[in-house]
Amino acid sequence: GNSVTQMEGPVTLSEEAFLTINCTYTATGYPSLFWYVQYPGEGLQLLLKATKADDKGSNKGFEATYRKETTSFHLEKGSVQVSDSAVYFCALQGSNYKLTFGKGTLLTVNP
Amino acid sequence: DVKVTQSSRYLVKRTGEKVFLECVQDMDHENMFWYRQDPGLGLRLIYFSYDVKMKEKGDIPEGYSVSREKKERFSLILESASTNQTSMYLCASSFGTGYDEQYFGPGTRLTVT
């Protein structure tokens, strides 16, 4: 079956530091890949997505590239802000509408 | 903007009670989902529905049922609540053409005492 493994947190960074959150997946076929973000007290919202190999998703300074050869979709941001503090979920979608999520990574950014 | 609303943000129920969690979406989406979120476990799919009156079990359906009588509304039912169902419950919807992003509601934090 499908599965997603993302780096365990928590991750604590200082403002303006570089962020990487690793995500690897196992899936049959050609899944779509997503990063969702959950701010404190809120539901999940889509951060970015990629639907085929070598696609790069980007939003709000975050980027992730769909790497089929390494089955990875790592999230990066060049300079994090305090407002980026949240839980980040990597997810994949196969052919049956269902999303499979990683366990989430808590990011805390200190001023 | 797509809006997914859930009937309660916080709910406290007693063991053995029947509990209804309601979810409504306003974008005419075909698919609707119920997840529970627990620390260290991420999100796990309970049930989903790809059309009115249609439903499929997710990964952890035991102890839950669902109802979808109208396209915009998807209800999660705990027939007899137990303490191990204390969790955050998230509803989501998607358009339905296949590789579509899901839009989430704010969640209901249910405590069963």
Side-chain angles (χ1 to χ4, degrees):
Chain A
N2 297 337
S3 67
V4 174
T5 302
Q6 62 181 100
M7 66 186 284
E8 294 189 20
V11 174
T12 303
L13 296 173
S14 298
E15 208 164 24
E16 299 184 3
F18 184 85
L19 169 71
T20 300
I21 301 178
N22 290 335
C23 172
T24 57
Y25 67 90
T26 302
T28 54
Y30 303 95
S32 288
L33 300 174
F34 303 83
W35 276 100
Y36 281 83
V37 59
Q38 185 179 32
Y39 298 105
E42 299 183 13
L44 276 70
Q45 54 185 272
L46 180 69
L47 181 60
L48 53 84
K49 68 178 181 182
T51 58
K52 61 183 188 295
D54 299 326
D55 267 2
K56 177 187 281 188
S58 62
N59 186 25
K60 299 182 181 179
F62 291 88
E63 293 183 341
T65 301
Y66 188 163
R67 302 283 189 202
K68 191 164 170 53
E69 64 276 12
T70 55
T71 61
S72 65
F73 192 54
H74 304 321
L75 182 68
E76 296 182 337
K77 186 175 186 182
S79 176
V80 293
Q81 305 301 311
V82 172
S83 57
D84 293 326
S85 298
V87 181
Y88 292 81
F89 292 92
C90 185
L92 72 82
Q93 185 179 48
S95 57
N96 60 359
Y97 311 131
K98 291 169 59 175
L99 279 175
T100 300
F101 286 89
K103 293 183 178 180
T105 302
L106 173 63
L107 170 67
T108 301
V109 180
N110 295 318
Chain B
D1 276 355
V2 175
K3 195 163 186 183
V4 179
T5 56
Q6 296 183 226
S7 50
S8 305
R9 292 300 300 270
Y10 300 93
L11 208 53
V12 180
K13 295 292 182 181
R14 294 195 178 275
T15 301
E17 278 193 81
K18 190 169 187 175
V19 181
F20 292 87
L21 302 182
E22 305 285 341
C23 175
V24 177
Q25 51 93 4
D26 67 356
M27 280 301 291
D28 203 35
H29 282 173
E30 301 290 331
N31 303 326
M32 296 189 75
F33 306 82
W34 275 107
Y35 297 89
R36 64 177 282 176
Q37 181 180 10
D38 299 289
L41 296 176
L43 274 76
R44 293 178 292 167
L45 182 65
I46 305 172
Y47 267 97
F48 69 104
S49 168
Y50 50 89
D51 200 353
V52 175
K53 297 190 185 294
M54 305 299 287
K55 61 187 179 185
E56 282 199 27
K57 293 180 180 179
D59 300 319
I60 51 163
E62 296 79 18
Y64 303 94
S65 62
V66 290
S67 172
R68 193 167 180 202
E69 297 295 321
K70 293 185 177 182
K71 191 174 187 179
E72 67 271 17
R73 188 179 297 270
F74 192 37
S75 302
L76 180 69
I77 304 157
L78 288 66
E79 294 290 341
S80 178
S82 64
T83 55
N84 63 12
Q85 293 179 308
T86 291
S87 186
M88 171 70 85
Y89 290 88
L90 293 168
C91 175
S93 70
S94 69
F95 188 69
T97 57
Y99 297 103
D100 294 312
E101 64 190 84
Q102 292 183 16
Y103 295 83
F104 283 81
T108 295
R109 183 164 293 283
L110 173 66
T111 301
V112 183
T113 61

